[in-house]
Amino acid sequence: MRLKLRTKTALLVTSLVLALVGATEWWQYRNLSGEYLNLMRDQQQALTDSAAADLDYKLGVHLAALERAAREIGARGFDDAEARQRFLKDRDLLAMFDNAALAGPDGAIVAINPPADHPPNIADRDYFRQVRDLRQPTISAPLLTKDSKQPAVVMAVPVDAPDGRLIGMLGAALNLQRANVLGDMSRATIGRGGYYVIVTRDASPRVVMHHDASLLLKPASAMVVASADDTGNDLATRAIVRSADWDLRLVVPAEIAYAPLEQAKRSLLLQLLWLGLGCAFLVWMGTSWAMRPLDALTNAIRTLRQSPDSQVKLDVVATDERGDLAREFDALMAELREQRLEVAAVTDASPVGLFRSDTEGRATYVNDEYLAIHGLERKDAALGWLTLVREDIREKVLKEWIRLVNTPEPFSATRRLHRKDGTRVLVALRSRPVIVGGRVLGHVGTVTDITERTRAEQALRTLTAVFDMTTDYIVQMDAAGRLIYMNPAARRRTGLRLDAPIEQLSVNDFNPPKTIERFRSEVVPVAVGKGIWVGESMVWDDQRQEFPVSHMVIAHRDKHGKVEYFSGLMRDISAAKAAEQALRESEHRLRMVTDHLPALISYLDWDLRFRFVNKAYQDWFGVEPEQLIGRSMREFYGDEAWAQMEPHLRAALAGRQVTYERRVEGPGGRRDIQATLVPERNEQGRVMGLYTLDSDITAHHEAEEALQESEARLRTVADALPMRVAYIDADERYRFNNLAYEREFGLSRDQIQGHTVQELLGGAAYESVKPHIRAALAGEVVTFQSEDTQSDSYNCYEAQYIPQPAANADTIVGFHAVITDITRQKLEEKRLVNLAQIDPLTGLANRAGFEARLAEAMDRSRGAGALMALMYLDIDGFKQINDQFGHQAGDELLKGFSNRLSQGLRSSDVRARLGGDEFTVIMEGLPNADIALSTAAKLVATMQAPFALESQLTISITASIGLAFYQGGDATAATLVRRADEMLYQAKRSGRNNVKAALLPVENSV
């Protein structure tokens, strides 16, 4: 954001004032805060000293009370236990202490109040040893009492006998967590948050008293005392409690101790803020008043920039610097306005379009010619040119234009514009950069409409190129007959070099005298009178030999109607003349050929009248060819034949080549004719007439009829056969099939014949028979069988392909296919095989069926690398069941076992009974071994449910399973079975009723 001068002045003055006032107040704040801290510390130290002295006095009172009691005990004696206990109770030391105890010289407690069942021995306590050794009163360091494990300090004094002998120690404890002289002090508060802390003064100080009971007896952290210029720590003072050699500290938290200073700081900052705002406002107002004339000048400049013809008011009568500036600016604007009007007059009168573009590609100035060239209104001048560019490239063109007007290099280009009125113009654009201070401010340039000039130049170039490239001869001459132009073709034909001058040559140098005379008498008068003469004439070549040309002479006049020059266009027609002669000779040869052909040949015009007939018409119909010329087809053949021929003739006149057959009666008898009609077209593609060719195919028809009779007899025999019979050519297309084919595929004979084997059978079936077809077409007799198995049907066919050699026996032209349905025989074979591979008791595969299925499964696994599993399972203790319940019950149990086995497996899994109670399961296509393991475990669990037999018996059994896996390799089926049997044996040895599996698939036969 750009700041105005008045804002900058207000901010600068305000900043200076705030810096000066802030520095002064900050210096005063630092001095006052230091004095405040010193005063607080002195007051707090006095309070700390007073509290330490008071505590020292109270501890002294407590010690004095213990000493008095110790003297009384020493005077009474120390032997009677009841007296000692009664003494402690009567002295009521609990008024000052939490408990009191009397210990002997060995540290054993001999009396305690309140009483305790098992008083501890204190011989290991420091305070006891100090009293025993020094015979002086002692206050212990903070400790945990042995009986109650409470934090406490102990006061102890020696107990002396009357003879001065140490007979014991009297001690009393102050619980640091109870209301006593120390507990009360710990709960005392100083001001709004100050508190007392007592720590020992030894090498490892510990907390004796603290308002936070969890810190008692913990190591004391260093207490930081704030200095006069440090307000970041708690304010703490200390004093020594001499009777206990403790350190008493009074701590006031920093947020409470320095709260007045923080409040003073916030007040100071708030005062500075209000001072700054007030100062900024006053300075801004004063500056605004002082700079009003400058604002008026700025607004005037802005107005004149947007609209140079606007009237603005300036204070040009002021006598200060502002008036001088306004007068100079007014004079400058007057000069600029005069110069701008002069430039505008020049640019508006310019015959070319003028423009100026800024760095964003917008036109900031255009003259009237620019608008006229672009077909724009002045309000659309900024980017209106962009609307004349194709919409799909506008964005790309604009980006390129912005790049160009930001470069310091001149630019020129040709641009095609599509104006809003639908016209298209081609303009030449030239521009140069406007550079100020090394920075490109845009481009100025011109736009010129070069549409007509470009078209004229292009037309001239095109015409010249046509003249230069054409093979026709083009010359131009003035009214006096002198040459002014010869195209290259004319120069080459007349022997002139391409660069030879022709100004001294005339028409007399290139034309024979007869042609010159004709020019004078006929050509020039007609061309002058009508503007053009067209005809044929003779001219000279480079050997001055005459050759014919097709000649056109055009007279060109000036704007006053006077003939200015002539143009001559000539085309060599020597070849055409020769072609006419050749055509006449060709027609003669054609007539000789057609007259000797055995077919009717004629040419009919658009009205279907004979314009040419060959001599065969006379041989067939006894009519001279000359008598037919001009006669119509209908008139010659009659209405009955015309009705048959007319549709074909009309189709040929429509542009199609037509072939059809018809029967005619003539002097020679009945004839079957094949007629061919070929349209003749002119250069524009329009049909002008018809060529007809009528061939006698009577003998061919008679042969066809005999062949059809033979085929009918053959088809009758083939249709009576139960097998499918067909003939297929070398292109594998059906050329014959019997009725069995139609019944099999549900298609008619016409729908089969002509189609390929692949189209009839489909891609998959065709691939299966393709090798046999190739063998048959190679000359080999092929016999094979094919099966078609679907979900609900099965079919099997035996096919025999018999090659058909050509008449010369050199090649095979096709083969005969004989396909017999052998489904019934195959089904009977499969039934017998299945009976041999099915266990009659359980309906599962027997050992033979299992071995066949296992070999097939291993082949598939080996080919695809897929994982498969083999389960080997039997009934645990089946022999005892047979012995106990009989073989009939055993057979019923085997059938029930096989039923449960089938229910627990996938439909694709193969189940088999090898004999007795031995069963196998083949599982293919396993993604991992866990699926087989899980299935086996479920089968073991399933078999544990009791079996209800038909003989009213209920038998409970268990099963054991061995698992082996295979995933390719040269292992045999016997190896895989042996591995599964080994796993079953391990399952038996492990207690039965479980599954054991080989960890890795078998890979070889070892």
Side-chain angles (χ1 to χ4, degrees):
M1 182 179 66
R2 188 172 67 90
L3 300 178
K4 293 186 177 180
L5 181 59
R6 68 190 70 176
T7 304
K8 293 180 181 179
T9 303
L11 292 176
L12 177 61
V13 174
T14 302
S15 300
L16 294 175
V17 171
L18 288 178
L20 180 60
V21 174
T24 302
E25 293 193 0
W26 185 252
W27 178 78
Q28 292 179 352
Y29 170 77
R30 294 286 293 177
N31 290 337
L32 290 175
S33 62
E35 294 176 0
Y36 170 77
L37 285 175
N38 290 333
L39 178 60
M40 283 192 64
R41 189 175 60 252
D42 293 343
Q43 291 178 350
Q44 186 170 320
Q45 185 62 51
L47 183 59
T48 305
D49 292 340
S50 174
D54 181 62
L55 181 59
D56 195 19
Y57 168 76
K58 292 179 178 179
L59 291 177
V61 171
H62 283 61
L63 280 175
L66 281 180
E67 287 177 340
R68 288 194 299 271
R71 286 194 294 271
E72 291 183 15
I73 293 174
R76 295 183 180 184
F78 206 73
D79 297 331
D80 187 356
E82 293 182 1
R84 290 192 299 268
Q85 187 67 34
R86 190 169 50 252
F87 172 79
L88 290 180
K89 183 176 180 181
D90 292 343
R91 290 296 295 177
D92 197 15
L93 293 177
L94 296 184
M96 298 178 68
F97 299 96
D98 293 303
N99 67 0
L102 187 62
D106 58 353
I109 300 297
V110 296
I112 186 169
N113 188 33
D117 295 336
H118 302 287
N121 190 297
I122 60 173
D124 58 339
R125 295 290 191 174
D126 292 340
Y127 63 86
F128 175 80
R129 289 195 296 265
Q130 187 174 359
V131 171
R132 183 190 63 192
D133 298 339
L134 300 179
R135 308 283 291 272
Q136 292 181 355
T138 299
I139 299 178
S140 72
L143 51 79
L144 288 174
T145 60
K146 286 191 173 184
D147 53 352
S148 60
K149 303 301 181 181
Q150 295 291 320
V153 294
V154 177
M155 295 183 180
V157 296
V159 178
D160 297 329
D163 57 2
R165 177 174 51 87
L166 179 67
I167 60 174
M169 183 202 73
L170 177 61
L174 291 176
N175 191 320
L176 299 181
Q177 293 181 335
R178 295 182 181 175
N180 50 43
V181 64
L182 296 178
D184 293 341
M185 180 173 284
S186 67
R187 288 185 290 275
T189 58
I190 309 302
R192 289 184 295 173
Y195 56 89
Y196 289 107
V197 178
I198 298 177
V199 299
T200 61
R201 285 169 48 92
D202 50 15
S204 300
R206 290 185 295 168
V207 177
V208 178
M209 183 198 75
H210 200 284
H211 70 284
D212 185 357
S214 64
L215 298 178
L216 296 177
L217 306 187
K218 300 292 178 64
S221 59
M223 303 298 292
V224 180
V225 180
S227 61
D229 58 351
D230 183 6
T231 59
N233 301 306
D234 295 343
L235 184 62
T237 54
R238 65 179 64 183
I240 298 174
V241 180
R242 300 188 181 280
S243 59
D245 197 22
W246 290 344
D247 195 1
L248 175 66
R249 301 179 184 181
L250 176 56
V251 180
V252 179
E255 63 271 13
I256 296 173
Y258 310 127
L261 290 178
E262 292 299 323
Q263 181 64 34
K265 186 187 296 184
R266 286 193 294 272
S267 299
L268 175 61
L269 293 176
L270 184 61
Q271 291 173 6
L272 286 175
L273 175 62
W274 284 111
L275 176 63
L277 292 175
C279 179
F281 177 73
L282 293 176
V283 172
W284 188 84
M285 292 293 293
T287 306
S288 298
W289 176 82
M291 297 181 67
R292 281 187 300 172
L294 186 59
D295 289 342
L297 181 60
T298 301
N299 293 332
I301 294 173
R302 184 181 297 110
T303 300
L304 291 174
R305 283 187 62 195
Q306 297 175 352
S307 179
D309 297 328
S310 301
Q311 297 294 325
V312 296
K313 293 182 179 180
L314 298 175
D315 187 6
V316 296
V317 298
T319 58
D320 54 9
E321 293 84 351
R322 295 173 296 175
D324 296 339
L325 182 60
R327 286 188 290 273
E328 291 298 328
F329 176 75
D330 187 58
L332 176 62
M333 289 305 301
E335 295 177 2
L336 292 177
R337 188 178 296 108
E338 182 178 349
Q339 294 177 4
R340 185 181 64 78
L341 292 174
E342 293 175 356
V343 172
V346 172
T347 57
D348 289 342
S350 174
V352 298
L354 303 176
F355 71 91
R356 175 174 178 178
S357 175
D358 59 18
T359 55
E360 295 180 357
R362 302 174 65 86
T364 57
Y365 167 77
V366 296
N367 67 344
D368 292 340
E369 184 62 22
Y370 177 94
L371 297 174
I373 291 174
H374 289 77
L376 297 173
E377 300 292 337
R378 186 163 293 278
K379 61 184 179 62
D380 301 325
L383 282 175
W385 63 270
L386 191 59
T387 62
L388 309 184
V389 180
R390 292 202 324 267
E391 185 174 359
D392 58 327
I393 62 171
R394 285 180 187 173
E395 184 177 355
K396 178 180 178 181
V397 171
L398 179 59
K399 289 181 179 179
E400 178 63 16
W401 177 241
I402 293 175
R403 185 188 69 79
L404 291 172
V405 297
N406 281 274
T407 57
E409 301 296 332
F411 170 72
S412 62
T414 301
R415 178 184 296 161
R416 190 174 300 279
L417 303 176
H418 302 259
R419 295 197 297 201
K420 294 181 178 179
D421 59 1
T423 60
R424 299 182 179 182
V425 295
L426 186 68
V427 297
L429 173 67
R430 299 177 182 272
S431 71
R432 298 187 65 85
V434 178
I435 302 176
V436 178
R439 187 166 65 92
V440 178
L441 300 182
H443 272 229
V444 296
T446 63
V447 177
T448 307
D449 186 351
I450 60 172
T451 306
E452 294 301 327
R453 185 183 73 190
T454 302
R455 288 175 181 170
E457 293 175 352
Q458 184 176 2
L460 180 59
R461 288 194 300 271
T462 302
L463 185 60
T464 302
V466 171
F467 286 173
D468 288 346
M469 297 302 295
T470 184
T471 57
D472 293 340
Y473 313 134
I474 300 174
V475 297
Q476 290 182 331
M477 64 207 79
D478 59 17
R482 291 186 297 271
L483 295 184
I484 58 178
Y485 172 77
M486 288 184 73
N487 74 335
R491 287 174 177 266
R492 286 190 294 268
R493 188 60 189 263
T494 56
L496 282 177
R497 298 193 319 272
L498 296 180
D499 57 349
I502 59 174
E503 290 79 5
Q504 302 302 322
L505 302 176
S506 68
V507 294
N508 297 331
D509 298 314
F510 303 99
N511 295 280
K514 292 182 180 180
T515 302
I516 297 298
E517 180 60 30
R518 190 179 179 193
F519 278 174
R520 292 194 186 103
S521 62
E522 176 188 348
V523 175
V524 173
V526 172
V528 171
K530 297 182 178 181
I532 187 172
W533 173 87
V534 178
E536 296 181 359
S537 61
M538 302 296 291
V539 296
W540 281 335
D541 60 10
D542 56 343
Q543 302 296 324
R544 297 184 75 82
Q545 298 292 326
E546 295 183 2
F547 66 91
V549 295
S550 173
H551 208 149
M552 178 186 297
V553 177
I554 303 172
H556 301 277
R557 300 178 184 273
D558 60 14
K559 61 182 180 179
H560 303 295
K562 181 181 178 181
V563 175
E564 190 173 9
Y565 61 92
F566 293 93
S567 294
L569 285 77
M570 292 163 283
R571 176 172 295 174
D572 187 352
I573 58 175
S574 301
K577 292 292 186 180
E580 288 180 2
Q581 179 62 30
L583 179 60
R584 286 192 293 270
E585 295 175 356
S586 176
E587 286 180 350
H588 176 70
R589 288 192 298 271
L590 179 61
R591 164 125 354 235
M592 292 294 294
V593 171
T594 57
D595 283 348
H596 289 82
L597 289 177
L600 299 178
I601 299 175
S602 67
Y603 174 74
L604 307 175
D605 63 13
W606 176 259
D607 296 326
L608 300 179
R609 294 182 178 276
F610 290 105
R611 295 303 175 189
F612 170 84
V613 294
N614 68 344
K615 189 174 179 297
Y617 274 87
Q618 181 179 357
D619 297 338
W620 284 29
F621 299 105
V623 180
E624 293 289 338
E626 292 77 7
Q627 296 177 354
L628 290 177
I629 303 303
R631 293 181 64 182
S632 67
M633 291 277 288
R634 184 170 186 174
E635 178 184 353
F636 178 70
Y637 285 106
D639 292 338
E640 182 179 355
W642 172 254
Q644 298 178 10
M645 299 186 323
E646 183 182 16
H648 305 291
L649 293 168
R650 298 302 178 191
L653 289 176
R656 290 169 45 202
Q657 179 173 326
V658 179
T659 298
Y660 70 98
E661 296 180 2
R662 61 189 176 89
R663 178 166 292 178
V664 299
E665 298 290 341
R670 178 181 67 85
R671 293 176 182 266
D672 291 329
I673 295 176
Q674 183 183 61
T676 301
L677 307 177
V678 180
E680 181 200 21
R681 301 176 184 271
N682 60 12
E683 294 180 355
Q684 291 75 33
R686 180 173 175 270
V687 175
M688 305 297 296
L690 302 177
Y691 294 100
T692 71
L693 173 64
D694 294 347
S695 303
D696 188 352
I697 59 173
T698 305
H700 177 70
H701 276 184
E702 291 174 350
E704 276 189 347
E705 290 174 357
L707 179 62
Q708 288 173 359
E709 292 176 359
S710 175
E711 286 185 352
R713 290 191 295 272
L714 176 62
R715 182 173 300 283
T716 301
V717 173
D719 286 345
L721 295 176
M723 67 280 291
R724 299 203 305 267
V725 179
Y727 173 70
I728 300 167
D729 64 14
D731 295 328
E732 300 183 17
R733 295 185 180 276
Y734 288 92
R735 296 306 178 190
F736 172 81
N737 63 276
N738 68 345
L739 188 60
Y741 256 95
E742 300 179 31
R743 291 194 296 267
E744 176 68 22
F745 292 101
L747 299 173
S748 67
R749 184 172 286 110
D750 293 338
Q751 291 175 309
I752 295 176
Q753 292 183 12
H755 288 80
T756 64
V757 177
Q758 183 174 4
E759 291 172 346
L760 185 65
L761 300 183
Y766 173 74
E767 290 299 325
S768 66
V769 302
K770 182 177 179 181
H772 307 299
I773 293 177
R774 295 287 184 265
L777 291 176
E780 179 183 350
V781 177
V782 180
T783 301
F784 64 93
Q785 294 181 358
S786 63
E787 294 183 346
D788 181 13
T789 302
Q790 298 183 4
S791 60
D792 57 350
S793 64
Y794 167 80
N795 294 284
C796 183
Y797 301 93
E798 182 176 80
Q800 186 177 24
Y801 292 169
I802 305 170
Q804 174 63 55
N808 56 12
D810 291 338
T811 59
I812 301 299
V813 296
F815 64 92
H816 301 276
V818 180
I819 297 143
T820 306
D821 187 348
I822 59 172
T823 303
R824 182 175 299 174
Q825 297 93 309
K826 280 293 181 180
L827 289 176
E828 182 62 21
E829 290 178 5
K830 288 180 177 290
R831 186 182 69 82
L832 295 176
V833 171
N834 288 335
L835 288 175
Q837 294 183 352
I838 297 298
D839 177 49
L841 176 63
T842 61
L844 304 181
N846 60 12
R847 181 177 295 274
F850 162 72
E851 291 175 351
R853 300 290 184 86
L854 180 60
E856 294 171 357
M858 292 183 70
D859 287 341
R860 288 190 291 271
S861 175
R862 189 179 301 111
L867 181 66
M868 63 170 287
L870 174 62
M871 290 187 196
Y872 206 124
L873 64 162
D874 68 2
I875 301 173
D876 297 330
F878 180 71
K879 184 178 182 303
Q880 290 80 358
I881 295 175
N882 262 344
D883 294 342
Q884 182 179 356
F885 299 104
H887 289 285
Q888 182 179 355
D891 290 345
E892 292 178 3
L893 177 60
L894 289 174
K895 288 192 289 185
F897 186 89
S898 65
N899 289 336
R900 287 194 189 177
L901 182 64
S902 299
Q903 294 171 3
L905 296 172
R906 304 176 302 179
S907 60
S908 60
D909 297 336
V910 177
R911 300 163 293 280
R913 177 184 174 225
L914 304 186
D917 63 330
E918 294 182 351
F919 292 84
T920 58
V921 176
I922 304 173
M923 302 181 71
E924 293 187 67
L926 299 176
N928 53 66
D930 292 342
I931 293 179
L933 288 168
S934 175
T935 303
K938 290 180 180 178
L939 288 176
V940 169
T942 301
M943 298 306 175
Q944 293 175 4
F947 286 83
L949 306 182
E950 295 179 359
S951 56
Q952 306 302 317
L953 292 176
T954 300
I955 300 177
S956 295
I957 65 167
T958 60
S960 299
I961 300 178
L963 259 177
F965 297 95
Y966 176 74
Q967 197 171 5
D970 60 353
T972 64
T975 303
L976 183 60
V977 173
R978 185 168 58 253
R979 182 65 57 85
D981 189 26
E982 292 172 358
M983 294 299 104
L984 175 61
Y985 180 69
Q986 290 186 17
K988 295 287 188 180
R989 293 186 59 186
S990 299
R992 303 182 179 182
N993 194 29
N994 62 64
V995 179
K996 290 296 181 180
L999 298 180
L1000 298 175
V1002 295
E1003 296 182 352
N1004 49 53
S1005 300
V1006 180

